[in-house]
Amino acid sequence: MTLFPIFSDLKNRPVLVVGGGEVAARKVQALLQAEALVTVGAPTLAPALRDAVAAGRIVHCPGRFNPAWLEQAWLVIAATDDRSANAEVYEAASARRLFCNVVDDPALSSFQVPAIVDRSPLVIAISSSGVAPVLARRLRERLESLLDQSLGALAGLAARYRGQIRERHRELGARRRFYDWLLDGPVATALRRARPQEAEAALRQALSQAEAPTPGRVVLVGAGPGDPGLLTLKALRALNEADVILHDRLVSAEVLALARRDAECIAVGKRPGEDHDATQARIHALMREQARAGRRVVRLKGGDAFIFGRGGEELEYLRAHGVDYEVVPGITAALACAAYAGIPLTHRDHAQTLQLVTAHCRGEEDGLDWAGLARSRQTVAFYMGVGQLEALAARLIAHGRAPDTPFALVENGSRPGQRVIGGPLSQLAALARQHGVAAPALLIVGEVAGLASQLAWFGTATQHTAPQAEARAA
Ligand code: SAH
């Protein structure tokens, strides 16, 4: 280890910054956050620094560097764009045994300012000892994305109750378990939900019990359509913290690969011979058992859990059984497939509304407003429709949708094998058969679907066999 890390208390302590430009201004801002008494020495000041002087937040020593400026300082930062001027500051500071940092110049620095992830009072500082700043920055970005903003509030709360926690759980093992619960359980959950009073109440309640509580809960996470880049930061965090992941068949292997290494992954999709309700009941029981056992459960669903994902039923069950839960939305298939096929779902010239529909064309009475779905200048996204394309197109046309309305059938949307088949509605079933389209596929019907041939950017080009599309391409 070439650099010894310290966190310094600069509150009400004079610090000298030499240089009056943008770089100096950034350093000054960070120092002010630490409540240091900042003096800036420079012939001229950048606007932000001039404002700070005018507001009485910093003091300005005008002119070229003068060693007398070092008189009161505990720490010195040189941020001029002139290396010899910086060197002069460094020499003068070193002669007085003052720590000096020259920005981006490790050779002229007796201390360095690390990259930080700030969840005050929790602060993570990262240093590559000046040799690999890009690596340090990468690591910082990783940590930024992994750590929820509410972590600071959690650390603050833990600090306030530290004495009482120690009182309540004198034995180290019990205390550890309590802290695990604090970091993983309902207190952290409440803070993420922006409910600080509830968090504190849960903490007090737990402190009134003799046993350390267990952190079991369920996070209902939308995994998106397949491309792991479409996960939200919250989804990634949940995957990183999970003890057990109950996932559907639709969730891609690439997404599961991002989970914590020792998390147990259980595929809970429909089993052969099992009906949907039996599957759902099995999933409900499993979520409850796992959470009761104190495990952090992630219920991972394709797309978004609240869009044709039975997420509502799962929450109703958890609520009825007193299991704590959170929801992380995901990018639903319609949004992802449209984006990855170059289809703007609404467009000022073509579509003012969008409907998300699950297609079950069994019998006449399927409860859908076909006349409404068949209206022009709107976009309809059909989920789970691959098995009934013939009936679907026939109904839309019978209810007045023009037979030449463009459709796009997006198979494996956002995944490496994505295919987009396009054409006029009247040829939907024939083209799907011709190309052997299989699930998962999403059907988009509407004027906007015709834009895919021009706006596509991902995967193989749209396969248009329709006369209309050929004419446009020519
Ligand atoms: N909750 C999911 C939808 C579940 S229903 C969501 O919000 O996306 C399952 C249907 O979603 C599939 O039959 C298909 O129509 C669609 N779907 C899901 N992922 C898809 C993908 N990657 N490409 C195309 N369609 C997809």
Side-chain angles (χ1 to χ4, degrees):
M1 188 163 73
T2 50
L3 297 175
F4 182 75
I6 57 170
F7 282 90
S8 49
D9 179 2
L10 293 180
K11 186 171 181 177
N12 294 331
R13 299 204 159 114
V15 174
L16 174 68
V17 176
V18 182
E22 296 299 333
V23 178
R26 275 204 303 279
K27 297 293 163 189
V28 166
Q29 174 154 27
L31 289 165
L32 287 176
Q33 271 168 13
E35 299 180 55
L37 301 177
V38 181
T39 298
V40 176
T44 57
L45 297 182
L49 290 172
R50 276 206 302 274
D51 293 348
V53 173
R57 297 170 65 218
I58 62 173
V59 172
H60 181 205
C61 291
R64 262 194 60 79
F65 172 65
N66 178 346
W69 294 350
L70 296 169
E71 214 63 59
Q72 305 289 323
W74 285 64
L75 214 61
V76 185
I77 295 180
T80 79
D81 52 9
D82 172 356
R83 190 158 200 256
S84 66
N86 287 339
E88 195 187 329
V89 177
Y90 173 69
E91 301 295 339
S94 299
R96 294 176 188 230
R97 297 191 198 144
L98 279 173
F99 276 114
C100 177
N101 171 263
V102 175
V103 177
D104 290 337
D105 199 338
L108 287 184
S109 296
S110 49
F111 80 92
Q112 286 175 22
V113 183
I116 62 161
V117 178
D118 187 2
R119 299 288 185 276
S120 287
L122 192 81
V123 178
I124 301 170
I126 303 156
S127 163
S128 68
S129 307
V131 297
V134 176
L135 201 66
R137 205 179 61 224
R138 282 275 185 92
L139 194 58
R140 192 190 74 82
E141 285 163 5
R142 277 288 282 283
L143 291 170
E144 272 293 355
S145 69
L146 285 179
L147 303 175
D148 195 84
Q149 290 298 332
S150 66
L151 201 62
L154 186 62
L157 192 62
R160 275 198 284 131
Y161 280 86
R162 199 169 157 205
Q164 288 183 50
I165 295 170
R166 179 176 282 270
E167 270 299 295
R168 173 43 95 186
H169 300 291
R170 292 185 169 276
E171 192 255 317
L172 187 64
R175 198 151 67 237
R176 280 222 182 106
R177 278 197 301 283
F178 188 86
Y179 275 109
D180 280 342
W181 170 83
L182 186 64
L183 300 179
D184 297 327
V187 175
T189 306
L191 288 173
R192 272 199 298 274
R193 290 171 174 162
R195 293 179 180 171
Q197 277 128 6
E198 191 181 304
E200 193 156 352
L203 176 52
R204 282 166 177 276
Q205 152 80 16
L207 280 172
S208 70
Q209 293 163 7
E211 272 297 298
T214 53
R217 68 190 159 99
V218 175
V219 191
L220 184 61
V221 176
D227 178 350
L230 295 179
L231 280 176
T232 62
L233 290 178
K234 288 228 176 198
L236 190 61
R237 284 176 197 144
L239 288 175
N240 267 291
E241 289 168 5
D243 294 314
V244 56
I245 297 170
L246 310 180
H247 64 89
D248 284 351
R249 210 167 23 90
L250 259 183
V251 174
S252 71
E254 289 82 355
V255 166
L256 286 173
L258 293 172
R260 202 162 65 100
R261 282 284 144 79
D262 44 2
E264 183 185 356
C265 287
I266 307 178
V268 294
K270 198 167 158 310
R271 291 176 181 161
E274 191 180 49
D275 72 18
H276 285 289
D277 290 339
T279 308
Q280 203 56 42
R282 181 164 51 79
I283 295 170
H284 288 172
L286 200 53
M287 285 194 298
R288 181 178 166 203
E289 267 164 38
Q290 294 283 347
R292 281 274 160 84
R295 305 183 83 190
R296 293 162 296 185
V297 182
V298 163
R299 172 71 179 110
L300 191 62
K301 287 170 169 285
D304 180 86
F306 283 177
I307 296 194
F308 309 129
R310 301 189 79 159
E313 289 162 56
E314 295 187 4
L315 292 198
E316 280 161 6
Y317 178 89
L318 294 175
R319 170 135 226 141
H321 290 84
V323 178
D324 207 21
Y325 60 79
E326 274 176 79
V327 183
V328 178
I331 294 193
T332 189
L335 299 188
C337 290
Y340 278 60
I343 300 171
L345 289 169
T346 69
H347 189 293
R348 289 210 309 182
D349 298 335
H350 306 296
Q352 276 73 40
T353 62
L354 163 68
Q355 302 206 50
L356 305 185
V357 181
T358 170
H360 292 295
C361 300
R362 298 191 200 101
E364 279 306 310
E365 291 307 312
D366 56 17
L368 289 176
D369 168 20
W370 284 98
L373 293 174
R375 264 196 292 277
S376 61
R377 298 181 62 76
Q378 68 166 333
T379 309
V380 186
F382 290 97
Y383 287 68
M384 298 178 269
V386 215
Q388 41 224 331
L389 296 173
E390 192 99 55
L392 237 153
R395 293 236 175 133
L396 288 173
I397 293 170
H399 284 85
R401 198 64 155 125
D404 64 352
T405 306
F407 79 82
L409 199 48
V410 185
E411 181 192 68
N412 282 315
S414 87
R415 300 177 182 214
Q418 172 177 305
R419 285 197 303 165
V420 182
I421 313 298
L425 188 55
S426 56
Q427 292 181 30
L428 170 60
L431 288 174
R433 251 194 319 274
Q434 182 186 326
H435 291 280
V437 175
L442 184 103
L443 171 66
I444 299 174
V445 177
E447 292 77 357
V448 291
L451 296 172
S453 53
Q454 301 159 37
L455 302 180
W457 58 274
F458 179 83
T460 46
T462 313
Q463 303 181 33
H464 276 267
T465 349
Q468 188 198 5
E470 274 163 11
R472 195 182 291 126

